[in-house]
Amino acid sequence: MLPLVTAVRYVTPLREGGSLPGIVEADDLGTYVMKFHGAGQGRKALVAEVIAGELGRRLGLRVPSLVVIDLDPLIGRHEPDPDVQDLLKASTGWNLGVDYLPRSFGFDPLGWEVDAAFASRVLWFDAFIGNVDRSWRNPNLLVWHGDVWLIDHGASLIFHHAWANAARLFSGPYDVDDHVLTPRATELAAAEAEFAPRVTEDLLREIVALVPDAWLDGEPGFDGPDAVRDAYVEILLKRAAEPRVWLPSLDVAVNRPRTASRRGANRPGWLGGPA
């Protein structure tokens, strides 16, 4: 399992996302962005964060370290927002902690250029995990100490929301049209050659073992947490063995003009139109 720490101070909520994560301090002297099992996305978002994030890290991508945080809702008793209070009460016990990157800032594709190799590796990774949340509007990339870090993978692995149809939900080609790095991802074949052979059964079993039993227990249709882990391994291993089924073709997407994303494209007419 991931390292286990205890939250000792609730610092502040983060209101940029719909799940209302919060910054907390823990007994290991670390500061974390805590994602709650009682949030609207539920514990499956935490499972996706662990599996996708730890896979990305093992493939060599920069992902903040993850821990399990034991939460006593009393640490937030002075928080005035009733929505936060309700969330803390609904999330007693084990939640996910993402290492807080102080003074990091959001990646802006108009102001921060990445090389083709990095863009291709990230796009391959997102296609593999089915991540639908790396768009121009919300890249979920942070720049910290000059490097680009990947965050927020809770919207990936969508098949686990409907296990009976998992194979169908996870078999189609990945849609690259809205991905923030598509225009730069011109070396996808090289990324595939680098990453696909590394997604082995041993690696996947190592990763799913990091997910706490409490987040897998009681899953309908399974005998227990280990059976759920086996299902994740089976689906992801099959996906790794058949990359051309889901791997996108970038011939059109890379060269497609993105005029709607240009700075100033939505300026009113009386200001003279786009700059």
Side-chain angles (χ1 to χ4, degrees):
M1 194 181 80
L2 291 170
L4 176 63
V5 301
T6 299
V8 296
R9 178 172 175 252
Y10 182 84
V11 180
T12 187
L14 294 176
R15 302 184 183 277
E16 296 179 359
S19 61
L20 204 63
I23 297 178
V24 302
E25 295 174 349
D27 61 352
D28 66 343
L29 304 183
T31 303
Y32 300 95
V33 175
M34 184 159 61
K35 301 194 173 189
F36 301 97
H37 70 77
Q41 294 89 337
R43 63 186 188 177
K44 288 188 178 181
L46 308 188
V47 174
E49 289 274 10
V50 173
I51 295 176
E54 292 300 327
L55 175 61
R57 187 192 326 283
R58 283 159 176 76
L59 292 177
L61 299 171
R62 296 183 186 89
V63 179
S65 60
L66 304 176
V67 298
V68 175
I69 301 182
D70 191 17
L71 170 67
D72 182 339
L74 288 178
I75 69 166
R77 61 187 178 277
H78 298 304
E79 168 59 43
D81 189 329
D83 290 336
V84 173
Q85 289 283 359
D86 290 344
L87 181 58
L88 292 172
K89 292 174 183 176
S91 302
T92 299
W94 287 4
N95 299 276
L96 180 68
V98 182
D99 191 26
Y100 178 63
L101 306 182
R103 296 185 177 87
S104 61
F105 58 90
F107 174 84
D108 182 351
L110 297 176
W112 191 274
E113 190 167 304
V114 297
D115 61 46
F118 174 79
S120 301
R121 295 168 89 220
V122 173
L123 184 56
W124 189 95
F125 169 68
D126 282 336
F128 180 74
I129 63 174
N131 185 16
V132 298
D133 205 9
R134 189 102 58 209
S135 69
W136 283 76
R137 294 173 298 280
N138 188 27
N140 282 320
L141 298 169
L142 293 178
V143 179
W144 192 53
H145 294 297
D147 294 319
V148 181
W149 292 70
L150 283 63
I151 61 168
D152 290 352
H153 300 105
S156 59
L157 309 182
I158 61 169
F159 62 84
H160 64 182
H161 295 286
W163 282 107
N165 299 311
R168 178 180 60 81
L169 289 173
F170 214 41
S171 61
Y174 182 70
D175 184 1
V176 301
D177 285 353
D178 204 35
H179 197 284
V180 66
L181 298 181
T182 291
R184 297 288 299 166
T186 57
E187 300 178 7
L188 201 57
E192 179 186 359
E194 176 188 359
F195 281 170
R198 295 168 61 184
V199 183
T200 64
E201 181 174 355
D202 287 345
L203 178 68
L204 293 173
R205 291 200 178 279
E206 174 188 323
I207 290 170
V208 298
L210 298 173
V211 180
D213 284 358
W215 298 349
L216 301 173
D217 197 27
E219 186 69 20
F222 294 92
D223 292 335
D226 285 340
V228 184
R229 292 187 179 96
D230 289 343
Y232 280 109
V233 171
E234 179 182 352
I235 290 175
L236 291 172
L237 196 60
K238 181 178 180 181
R239 192 166 175 84
E242 301 177 0
R244 289 180 178 82
V245 175
W246 50 267
L247 197 63
S249 171
L250 300 185
D251 293 342
V252 176
V254 167
N255 297 305
R256 181 175 297 150
R258 292 180 177 267
T259 54
S261 298
R262 288 189 295 115
R263 193 181 300 275
N266 295 318
R267 297 170 72 192
W270 54 269
L271 281 178

